[in-house]
Amino acid sequence: MLQTCSSTVSRAVVHCRLNHPQHLKLQVPATHSSIAWKKFGSACHLPLACRGPFTSKETFRRVVSMSAEGSRSALAEVDKKGAFIRKDSTFRDIIKEGGKFPPEAGRYHLYISLACPWAHRCYIVRSMKGLEDVIGLSIVHPTWQYTKKEVDDHCGWVFRDPESEPLSNTNGFGSFDARECIPDSINGTSSMRELYNSIGYEGKYSVPVLWDKKEKTIVNNESSEIVCMFNSAFNAFAKNPDLNLDPIGTQEAQEEVNSWIYPTINNGVYRCGFAKSQEAYDEAVSELDASLDKLEELLSKQRYVTGDKLTISDIRLFVTLVRFDEVYVVYFKTNTKALREYPNILNYMRELYQIPEIQKTVSMYHIKTHYFTSHPTLNHYAIVPKGSNTLEILSMPHNRTSM
């Protein structure tokens, strides 16, 4: 099966094995592979399903291109300057009355990682709205594994039973148990890749995923849209239907804060951590610092980021903040200042963390284990730092009610 993907690359890197004891690495332009197709086609280190021999140079060119663009993770989303550029989510259907996917209790299932901030948003809103009995849940293991080692080198999210044997990182280092994991009881898949592949998709196998059990397909994998659906679409079945995290009159303010919080803080930490050039890192960390200063000033004047009401924008922000001192300061090199050095941000975090429906969704074990064990190029030996006891700090009294 040919691999497909939502992005485009200009060159396909082809690793060819000739009839010699040594290996020869060639770079073949995807648009000019005619020279290589006959000579190297059947010997290339392409995924097994994509290997030749090929009957035409066009077939070879297409397969090489698709192989290079196929199964991938966020680590591959870097531009020519070494800057991290997150790709848009692929599945964008909406649950609504009268639509293809109407709201129904028990019909939909949420696949998440407790470590992923984007997935964490969805988990929080599901918890706050009281949708635990309405929308099912599966939770992946925090440490990425090879998802189809006999085919390619893609590493990503896998499912494990909480009683299963611990996993090591892909270099064989460390031992990380499966506490808090929930296997895929709906489709019985072993990885998020297998779930995506089950509907014929190959590309980036991300979480969260909102799955329709009736149609056996992915409804949506964009967290910003899933949280909005959870906030309003299932009110007929929710335990807390009166809770509205998108209250009337806050939409304009939410759009304004999201316009700078997302690119410079939510995604900004990734732009720092996944940068592959000094220029890209310097730009990202400068923008991050400026936005944290701006946030500190904003929270000195009002209780929440849009005013006096808790909104989805606060949830979107919190999931990044709660990971900042334990992970991003160390791992993503956002070390110009820890959040515990910002009094208003710290007290704001405390208030949100101490909401019971939010607190029960935070797993620092999954958060730290994932980041420090899943990217061997950043942490070869999978050493997990001790950290700064963020959750203990967030459990201390806050001053936000006085505002």
Side-chain angles (χ1 to χ4, degrees):
M1 181 168 60
L2 302 182
Q3 294 185 335
T4 60
C5 146
S6 59
S7 63
T8 302
V9 294
S10 60
R11 298 176 68 87
V13 180
V14 184
H15 299 271
C16 297
R17 179 181 294 142
L18 302 178
N19 295 321
H20 302 285
Q22 72 271 26
H23 293 166
L24 178 65
K25 176 186 274 190
L26 298 179
Q27 280 198 315
V28 182
T31 55
H32 297 90
S33 56
S34 57
I35 298 174
W37 77 271
K38 284 185 180 179
K39 189 172 183 179
F40 305 125
S42 62
C44 288
H45 291 291
L46 297 173
L48 294 176
C50 296
R51 291 185 186 175
F54 300 102
T55 57
S56 74
K57 61 185 179 182
E58 174 59 25
T59 300
F60 177 64
R61 184 203 65 76
R62 187 173 66 252
V63 171
V64 168
S65 179
M66 287 182 173
S67 175
E69 298 170 16
S71 302
R72 59 184 173 81
S73 70
L75 286 169
E77 298 175 344
V78 179
D79 69 10
K80 293 180 180 180
K81 294 183 178 180
F84 174 67
I85 308 294
R86 187 178 298 278
K87 305 298 182 182
D88 290 340
S89 299
T90 304
F91 298 89
R92 309 295 287 270
D93 282 309
I94 300 297
I95 295 174
K96 62 181 180 179
E97 291 288 357
K100 179 181 178 181
F101 300 101
E104 296 177 13
R107 175 169 173 169
Y108 301 99
H109 194 81
L110 180 65
Y111 291 90
I112 65 167
S113 160
L114 297 180
C116 170
W118 321 108
H120 193 184
R121 299 172 172 182
C122 305
Y123 193 30
I124 286 177
V125 179
R126 175 181 176 270
S127 173
M128 295 185 74
K129 291 291 293 188
L131 295 173
E132 292 90 343
D133 298 330
V134 179
I135 298 166
L137 185 70
S138 290
I139 299 174
V140 295
H141 192 283
T143 302
W144 279 0
Q145 301 291 298
Y146 289 112
T147 57
K148 201 178 285 188
K149 196 172 183 179
E150 72 281 5
V151 172
D152 56 38
D153 292 331
H154 175 266
C155 297
W157 305 110
V158 299
F159 296 103
R160 287 294 185 274
D161 184 277
E163 301 302 321
S164 62
E165 291 295 314
L167 296 177
S168 300
N169 78 345
T170 53
N171 286 337
F173 296 105
S175 178
F176 310 103
D177 63 60
R179 72 185 77 167
E180 302 176 84
C181 293
I182 303 176
D184 179 10
S185 61
I186 304 304
N187 296 292
T189 61
S190 61
S191 67
M192 288 303 299
R193 177 179 187 166
E194 186 179 352
L195 182 73
Y196 277 90
N197 289 174
S198 72
I199 62 169
Y201 173 84
E202 296 207 27
K204 182 180 178 181
Y205 312 117
S206 60
V207 289
V209 162
L210 186 59
W211 178 269
D212 180 3
K213 295 189 287 184
K214 182 177 180 179
E215 297 293 336
K216 299 186 183 337
T217 193
I218 295 172
V219 178
N220 197 295
N221 68 345
E222 170 50 56
S223 65
S224 64
E225 295 172 354
I226 295 174
V227 294
C228 290
M229 288 185 268
F230 285 1
N231 180 62
S232 60
F234 295 91
N235 279 341
F237 317 105
K239 294 177 182 175
N240 300 315
D242 295 333
L243 173 66
N244 184 6
L245 295 170
D246 188 28
I248 295 174
T250 66
Q251 284 74 27
E252 185 176 340
Q254 287 191 71
E255 289 180 9
E256 193 281 323
V257 296
N258 291 345
S259 70
W260 56 271
I261 287 176
Y262 170 76
T264 62
I265 299 179
N266 294 139
N267 200 48
V269 294
Y270 284 88
R271 291 170 56 213
C272 294
F274 290 168
K276 291 187 177 180
S277 72
Q278 189 68 47
E279 177 186 4
Y281 167 77
D282 288 343
E283 179 180 345
V285 79
S286 294
E287 292 180 3
L288 172 65
D289 288 345
S291 287
L292 289 177
D293 288 341
K294 182 176 180 178
L295 179 62
E296 174 71 5
E297 175 67 17
L298 180 69
L299 294 175
S300 72
K301 302 174 182 177
Q302 57 195 50
R303 187 169 180 178
Y304 304 113
V305 293
T306 62
D308 61 355
K309 295 179 181 178
L310 181 69
T311 67
I312 289 174
S313 293
D314 294 292
I315 306 303
R316 288 166 56 116
L317 174 60
F318 173 79
V319 294
T320 297
L321 300 183
V322 76
R323 289 159 171 77
F324 198 93
D325 285 6
E326 293 282 359
V327 175
Y328 301 144
V329 165
V330 179
Y331 201 51
F332 283 176
K333 300 177 284 292
T334 63
N335 59 352
T336 53
K337 204 171 180 181
L339 293 189
R340 59 184 178 273
E341 299 176 63
Y342 293 91
N344 294 307
I345 294 177
L346 177 59
N347 276 285
Y348 167 81
M349 292 170 63
R350 283 173 172 157
E351 180 182 8
L352 268 63
Y353 178 71
Q354 290 172 31
I355 296 172
E357 291 81 9
I358 293 180
Q359 185 171 142
K360 69 181 183 180
T361 68
V362 179
S363 172
M364 197 57 73
Y365 169 76
H366 271 247
I367 291 170
K368 293 177 66 172
T369 300
H370 165 64
Y371 283 98
F372 289 110
T373 70
S374 294
H375 314 121
T377 56
L378 300 183
N379 191 15
H380 181 84
Y381 294 104
I383 304 298
V384 180
K386 183 177 179 180
S388 54
N389 299 315
T390 291
L391 298 188
E392 291 183 18
I393 295 172
L394 295 186
S395 298
M396 297 176 181
H398 63 82
N399 63 1
R400 304 303 288 177
T401 52
S402 63
M403 302 188 70

